[in-house]
Amino acid sequence: MSDHQIEDGEETLELQQLPLDSWHRARGGRMVPFAGYEMPVQYEGIMAEHLWTRDHAGLFDVSHMGQLLFSGPQVDAQLETLLPGDIKGLGEGRMRYSLLLAENGGIHDDLMVTRLPGGNGFETEAGDLYMVVNGACKWDDIGVFRELLPDEVGISHLDEQALLALQGPEAVNALERIVPGVASLVVMTAAAFEWNGNPLWVSRSGYTGEDGFEISLPGEAAEAFAEALCAQPEVKPIGLGARDSLRLEAGLPLYGHDLDLETTPVAADLGFALSKRRREEGGFPGHARIIAEREGAAIVKRVGLIVEGRQPVREGAAVVDADGTEVGKVTSGGFAPSVQKPIAMAYVPVALAAPGTRITLAQRGKVHHAEVVPMPFVPHRYVRKGN
C-alpha cells in the first residue's frame, strides 16, 4: 500500500491506500479521507447504492478495519478482563459482538470476536481468537491490548489482509457461485474456504442489517476476487455513504458518533452484549457502574427517532425540553432511502426514551419535531438456523 500526504493545518497526515485503491478509481469511486485511508464514498450515487444493496447485493471494501489475532494460554479468559462478553463460551467458528471497555465503563471500541478452528487459513492454532475492530480505533485498541494483557498473550495485526463485505438478500447466491459451501453458514458463524488457491476466512455477518458475508483474504488477491464478485449480476460496488445510511436504518451504532469513552453499554442500549455469566461474575472494567445502570441508575439512553417532514437532522442537533434547554443530542441522522423519511439516533433522558414519546430537536436555529420509535427502522434479515 502506498501513502498520500495531505496538509491538515500544521500537521502532515499520511492517508493510506486500500489494496483496492486503483480498482475503486477505475470503477468511478469518488475517494475521500476516512479513518486514515482514502476510501470510496460513492460510485453512482448513495441513494441508488443503498437501494441496490437492500434489493440485491453490494460489495463494500472494509480493509481499513483492524484484523487481529490473539493466542496464548487462556487467551479467552484474558480477553474477558477487558470485554464483558462470554468469550470462554465461544465454540469454534462462532462469533460474538463485544465491547472494549474503559475503567469508567465507557467504550473504547465495539468489535467482533471469533473462535478459530484448526485449518483456519491464518496459520494459527485451534482455539485462538480472531477479532475485527474499527478502523479509526485500531491503533488505540492495539495499544490498550498490549498495555493491559499479559505478555504471554500474543497479538498479531493482520495488516496484509484485505477485508470485503458482501451484503444484501442476493449475496449468498453470488458468493456461493464462486465459493461453494458458504451457503451452509448461518449468521454469526464463520469458516475457512479457498478461492483460486487463496485462503479465505468467511463469516456470515455484516453492518447493514441484511444477510451477508465478510471475507478476509490476502491483500494481493483482493482485486481479482472483487472482479469475480462484481462479474455476478447481483453485485455492484458500494461506497461509504450507503454503508452509513444502511447501518443507520438497521439501528447499528457507529463508534466515534453513537459510542465513545463517556458512553456505557447500558446507555447505548447494548445490554445484549453483557452476558449473564459475566454480569454475575464481573471482572471487566466498569462492572459496578454498568450493573447499577442496568438496575435503574442510567440517566440517558440511545433511541431511534422518526423526524417529521422531509428535512433530516444531523449529528450534533440538540434534544431540547419545553423551555428550549438542551437535554440530549443527536448522534447520527439522515434521510432513510428505504423508509422514505428522515431518521436519527439520539441520546435522551431515560424519562423520554419510551416509544411514542414526542421529542423536540433544535438544529441551526430551526426546530424539528420527532417521535421515539423502536429500532431497527428496517427489519433485520439475518439467516439463522431453520430459516
Side-chain angles (χ1 to χ4, degrees):
M1 299 182 205
S2 61
D3 294 337
H4 174 62
Q5 293 189 338
I6 61 170
E7 295 297 325
D8 181 27
E10 295 181 359
E11 296 183 14
T12 299
L13 302 179
E14 290 190 348
L15 284 179
Q16 290 186 283
Q17 293 183 345
L18 302 167
L20 288 176
D21 183 83
S22 59
W23 186 86
H24 294 307
R25 295 174 192 275
R27 284 182 167 265
R30 182 160 72 83
M31 309 298 282
V32 299
F34 182 81
Y37 289 80
E38 292 184 282
M39 297 190 65
V41 67
Q42 66 180 54
Y43 298 84
E44 58 182 293
I46 293 171
M47 177 85 74
E49 292 169 31
H50 177 114
L51 295 174
W52 180 271
T53 304
R54 285 273 183 252
D55 292 337
H56 304 289
L59 180 64
F60 302 79
D61 185 355
V62 290
S63 300
H64 67 297
M65 304 285 277
Q67 300 181 67
L68 310 178
L69 285 178
F70 294 83
S71 59
Q74 297 186 308
V75 63
D76 45 13
Q78 298 293 351
L79 276 179
E80 284 191 359
T81 65
L82 301 177
L83 314 179
D86 181 7
I87 310 303
K88 290 194 288 189
L90 266 182
E92 290 186 359
R94 300 283 175 170
M95 309 173 64
R96 184 149 290 147
Y97 174 84
S98 198
L99 305 160
L100 177 58
L101 296 177
E103 278 302 316
N104 68 346
I107 301 169
H108 276 294
D109 199 3
D110 64 336
L111 48 87
M112 300 291 291
V113 186
T114 309
R115 174 88 67 184
L116 293 169
N120 50 63
F122 293 126
E123 299 182 1
T124 188
E125 300 295 321
D128 288 351
L129 296 165
Y130 168 74
M131 182 184 293
V132 178
V133 301
N134 280 296
C137 308
K138 63 185 176 185
W139 297 113
D140 288 340
D141 291 357
I142 291 169
V144 170
F145 286 126
R146 291 198 187 282
E147 178 185 358
L148 298 179
L149 292 175
D151 291 342
E152 58 263 28
V153 174
I155 306 172
S156 301
H157 179 203
L158 304 175
D159 56 353
E160 297 301 316
Q161 289 284 114
L163 188 65
L164 305 179
L166 186 66
Q167 301 284 295
E170 295 178 352
V172 63
N173 299 331
L175 188 57
E176 177 74 18
R177 209 172 286 132
I178 63 172
V179 186
V182 294
S184 64
L185 296 172
V186 295
V187 68
M188 300 299 276
T189 65
F193 296 88
E194 190 176 278
W195 177 79
N196 283 5
N198 296 289
L200 308 180
W201 179 251
V202 181
S203 65
R204 200 155 192 172
S205 61
Y207 192 48
T208 62
E210 295 292 335
D211 181 28
F213 302 84
E214 292 192 349
I215 305 111
S216 176
L217 74 165
E220 62 268 19
E223 184 168 329
F225 188 69
E227 277 293 320
L229 281 173
C230 286
Q232 310 307 309
E234 302 93 341
V235 181
K236 288 185 178 181
I238 308 295
L240 284 173
R243 185 170 185 256
D244 191 54
S245 58
L246 288 159
R247 69 90 192 169
L248 179 56
E249 286 186 347
L252 302 175
L254 175 62
Y255 193 85
H257 301 263
D258 312 296
L259 307 175
D260 58 33
L261 281 168
E262 302 306 316
T263 305
T264 66
V266 178
D269 198 26
L270 298 175
F272 68 89
L274 309 168
S275 75
K276 183 174 186 292
R277 175 178 68 82
R278 302 305 315 287
R279 294 196 307 267
E280 293 172 352
E281 292 180 3
F284 56 83
H287 174 257
R289 178 188 178 187
I290 289 168
I291 296 305
E293 287 192 0
R294 195 172 181 274
E295 294 175 352
I299 298 171
V300 297
K301 184 180 179 183
R302 179 174 65 96
V303 299
L305 300 175
I306 295 283
V307 182
E308 292 181 1
R310 302 288 289 180
Q311 180 66 41
V313 295
R314 303 293 183 182
E315 178 181 358
V319 178
V320 297
D321 64 14
D323 299 321
T325 302
E326 182 173 330
V327 294
K329 193 170 290 292
V330 171
T331 52
S332 289
F335 188 82
S338 305
V339 181
Q340 283 296 297
K341 294 177 182 178
I343 62 174
M345 292 183 199
Y347 281 85
V348 304
V350 169
L352 300 179
T357 304
R358 302 286 294 169
I359 299 288
T360 303
L361 306 170
Q363 177 181 253
R364 297 177 181 174
K366 293 183 178 180
V367 172
H368 301 261
H369 298 286
E371 181 179 326
V372 176
V373 297
M375 292 190 286
F377 299 95
V378 172
H380 293 163
R381 296 199 283 186
Y382 304 135
V383 172
R384 307 180 190 278
K385 279 187 178 178
N387 279 22

